[in-house]
Amino acid sequence: MIKLATQDKPFFSEDLKTCLRQVRQMGFDGFEADGALLLNQYDELKAAVKDTGVPVTSVCGGYRGWIGDFVDYRRKTAIEDIKIILERAGEIGAAGIVVPAAWGMFSLRLPPMVPPRPADEDRKVLIDSLSKLRQVCEKSGTNVFLEPLNRYEDHMLNTLDAAGEVIEKGGLYHVKIMADFFHMNIEEPDIKKSICKWKDFIGHVHIADSHRYQPGDGHTDFVYGFEGLREIGFQGTMAFECRVLGNAPEENYRQSVEYIRRCMEKAGL
Ligand code: LER
Ligand code: MN
């Protein structure tokens, strides 16, 4: 059964128990926690999950550095932080952590356009970082969800093909592909076909509409993409990762959850 989750929102309480209750009341099945919560407020988060029964389905970001960082000590720091997050994610029943190669570090489409490291080195570095996370994933029963970002946010992995090829080349089967509808809308020629091509690799999904606001407000064809998820028998979590437009953001967000549930139904999910 697919779960719908949300990342944190400005209108959710800072008190984690209250936050998780709000998440459920809004119509979600679970919460996608920032990794910083697992690093810095782990006891509070664990107690909130236990008290409310609302699961942390997944984790995203919140660690220092990037697995594809140009600076070696920052890459090592990222790996060490992610290891701690994954151990704790396993303890509280979360499926894993969403990890891009890097975010906002370099773009081949923005000046200076010439990266300090060649593409074949990028790939080696990514395979090396991801290999170092194999043991903790196996021990904690978690996955790394490797996320291709659009060309303006990262230069290493932009498509499901690029992420899938790194996984295959490195034999990294503790790593799954994270398919984000916002990035796919920019980079994939046909979202449904790309999802179907990587059917055994897709482990997690992010949703936002074409303009990265709440689903239902833009022009992304979610039903079409969800048909791909139905065809591959996807059973993971789809997490909302978007800003919320409008004067009544809480109500608009609630309506967006209803909209996505209708799209899921239309797609047979
Ligand atoms: C960034 O644009 C993004 O999509 C996040 O999920 C980063 O991991
Ligand atoms: Mn994302």
Side-chain angles (χ1 to χ4, degrees), residues 74-123:
R74 286 211 297 255
R75 182 165 77 92
K76 289 197 175 111
T77 308
I79 294 167
E80 291 317 308
D81 281 358
I82 293 169
K83 279 184 185 169
I84 298 170
I85 292 171
L86 283 171
E87 274 168 18
R88 295 178 176 177
E91 271 177 24
I92 57 171
I97 184 168
V98 175
V99 168
W103 175 73
M105 186 175 76
F106 197 87
S107 167
L108 293 170
R109 298 287 165 260
L110 296 169
M113 286 167 165
V114 183
R117 188 173 65 198
D120 59 334
E121 277 296 314
D122 285 344
R123 187 184 274 224

Side-chain angles (χ1 to χ4, degrees), residues 121-138:
E121 277 296 314
D122 285 344
R123 187 184 274 224
K124 276 191 206 148
V125 160
L126 289 176
I127 291 176
D128 179 72
S129 296
L130 291 166
S131 304
K132 292 189 161 86
L133 297 169
R134 183 196 310 270
Q135 209 182 3
V136 67
C137 281
E138 286 173 358

Side-chain angles (χ1 to χ4, degrees), residues 216-229:
D217 197 74
H219 57 82
T220 291
D221 186 350
F222 285 101
V223 176
Y224 183 68
F226 289 177
E227 282 169 6
L229 294 173

Side-chain angles (χ1 to χ4, degrees), residues 10-186:
F11 44 79
F12 291 155
S13 172
E14 279 184 21
D15 173 73
L16 294 178
K17 274 182 208 163
T18 313
C19 168
L20 291 188
R21 287 197 188 102
Q22 288 172 305
V23 164
R24 181 168 48 206
Q25 277 159 12
M26 199 147 270
F28 291 102
D29 305 306
F31 186 55
E32 178 158 291
D34 190 298
L37 285 182
L38 283 90
L39 290 172
N40 307 322
Q41 285 171 259
Y42 180 56
D43 291 341
E44 192 192 336
L45 182 66
K46 203 171 165 181
V49 170
K50 196 163 171 250
D51 268 38
T52 61
V54 177
V56 170
T57 52
S58 42
V59 183
C60 183
Y63 49 87
R64 298 164 294 168
W66 304 111
I67 60 162
D69 216 299
F70 292 141
V71 180
D72 211 46
Y73 84 85
R74 286 211 297 255
R75 182 165 77 92
K76 289 197 175 111
T77 308
I79 294 167
E80 291 317 308
D81 281 358
I82 293 169
K83 279 184 185 169
I84 298 170
I85 292 171
L86 283 171
E87 274 168 18
R88 295 178 176 177
E91 271 177 24
I92 57 171
I97 184 168
V98 175
V99 168
W103 175 73
M105 186 175 76
F106 197 87
S107 167
L108 293 170
R109 298 287 165 260
L110 296 169
M113 286 167 165
V114 183
R117 188 173 65 198
D120 59 334
E121 277 296 314
D122 285 344
R123 187 184 274 224
K124 276 191 206 148
V125 160
L126 289 176
I127 291 176
D128 179 72
S129 296
L130 291 166
S131 304
K132 292 189 161 86
L133 297 169
R134 183 196 310 270
Q135 209 182 3
V136 67
C137 281
E138 286 173 358
K139 227 173 129 192
S140 58
T142 57
N143 288 121
V144 173
F145 299 121
L146 184 61
E147 180 174 28
L149 302 181
N150 74 72
R151 65 195 75 172
Y152 303 105
E153 296 184 28
D154 173 52
H155 69 296
M156 287 175 270
L157 303 177
N158 300 136
T159 57
L160 302 197
D161 276 357
E165 281 158 17
V166 163
I167 295 171
E168 283 189 322
K169 181 130 199 292
L172 305 162
Y173 297 106
H174 59 296
V175 181
K176 304 278 176 208
I177 300 176
M178 219 305 302
D180 180 316
F181 272 77
F182 173 71
H183 300 302
M184 291 196 292
N185 186 47
I186 297 170

